[in-house]
Each structure stands twice: as structure tokens, then as C-alpha cells.
Amino acid sequence: MNITVETTIAAPVALVWQTWTTPADIQQWNAASDDWHTTRSSVDLREGGGFSSRMEAKDGSMGFDFAGTYTKVVEHQLIECAFGDRTLRVEFLTGPEGVTVRETFEAEPTHSEEQQRAGWQAILDNFARHVRGKLGA
């Protein structure tokens, strides 16, 4: 089963793309709730290149690495990747209201569809806030 989440940001696509793919920025926005954070991130943004983000509870009780390989990269338009046996497609769609970032990912069996959708949407909402903050908006 695939799940799709999205947000639209009134910002130039170049800024949205850069914020999505820069490790220092990823560490600022990549968390589903205030009690989690990303402590490190790496990006080798090319087909066959890898990515990794270390996500941890701020109280140190748990953490995991979200890591995988880029399978398709079209600058300012599309990133596809594989992580474990799952895939992720991130589209950057430019329109009259700004850039819509749309993520479509394969669900995993451990958590409910609602939990997965809510968690990924929360991270995407943090991303949008971070981009707006870079604009001073």
C-alpha cells in the first residue's frame, strides 16, 4: 500500500530543493514531534548515492537511522529512493501558489496507515515551516 502526503510552500523551487537536500537543513526540520530530533544527516544526491539521517528521541530513550539509496534524481523536480525493501517518491511541483512537495511511500506493516500518514505529514509540515523561516515569513 502506498501513502501520499503533501504541502505547498510559497517559495522558489530552488530554495525548496536546497532545503530538502542539505544535511544542515535536514537536521533542523526532520522530526515528527518536538520530543524527537535529527542528530546527523548525510546526502550524496545522485543516482546510486546514499542518504542517512539519525533520528533520536531527545530523552535518549530510542533512535534509528533512516537511510537508503537514491534511484532517480531530476533537479528541482523529482527524487526517488529505496530504503530497505520500500520506496519513496518525492515530487517538487511548481504552481501558481508555490511549490507542492508530494511524498509517496510504501507503508510498513508495524504501524497503522493513520500513524504513518500523520508522522510523515508532521515531518513535511516541519519542513514547510523551516522553508518559510528561511524566507523570513
Side-chain angles (χ1 to χ4, degrees):
M1 172 184 55
N2 285 338
I3 297 173
T4 299
V5 295
E6 67 180 48
T7 190
T8 300
I9 309 160
V13 69
L15 176 64
V16 173
W17 180 269
Q18 177 185 14
T19 306
W20 189 268
T21 60
T22 301
D25 282 309
I26 293 167
Q27 287 181 241
Q28 298 298 311
W29 60 260
N30 191 36
S33 62
D34 289 340
D35 54 343
W36 280 76
H37 61 163
T38 295
T39 57
R40 67 178 179 273
S41 179
S42 64
V43 172
D44 180 8
L45 188 62
R46 61 182 175 83
E47 292 177 17
F51 65 90
S52 180
S53 292
R54 177 68 185 173
M55 302 174 80
E56 297 180 358
K58 288 182 179 177
D59 67 4
S61 62
M62 59 189 323
F64 63 94
D65 292 314
F66 180 74
T69 304
Y70 296 109
T71 56
K72 186 171 185 177
V73 177
V74 180
E75 187 175 24
H76 297 173
Q77 295 178 35
L78 176 69
I79 297 172
E80 292 181 349
C81 54
F83 57 105
D85 60 353
R86 298 165 57 204
T87 61
L88 167 65
R89 177 182 177 93
V90 185
E91 299 168 272
F92 299 82
L93 307 166
T94 303
E97 296 181 16
V99 179
T100 298
V101 179
R102 178 179 299 144
E103 291 184 284
T104 302
F105 62 95
E106 290 183 54
E108 48 90 1
T110 306
H111 298 92
S112 72
E113 176 185 351
E114 296 78 21
Q115 287 174 310
Q116 291 178 73
R117 182 182 309 280
W120 284 65
Q121 185 67 55
I123 293 170
L124 196 53
D125 292 345
N126 281 341
F127 170 75
R129 278 190 292 278
H130 183 67
V131 173
R132 287 187 204 102
K134 293 180 80 125
L135 290 169

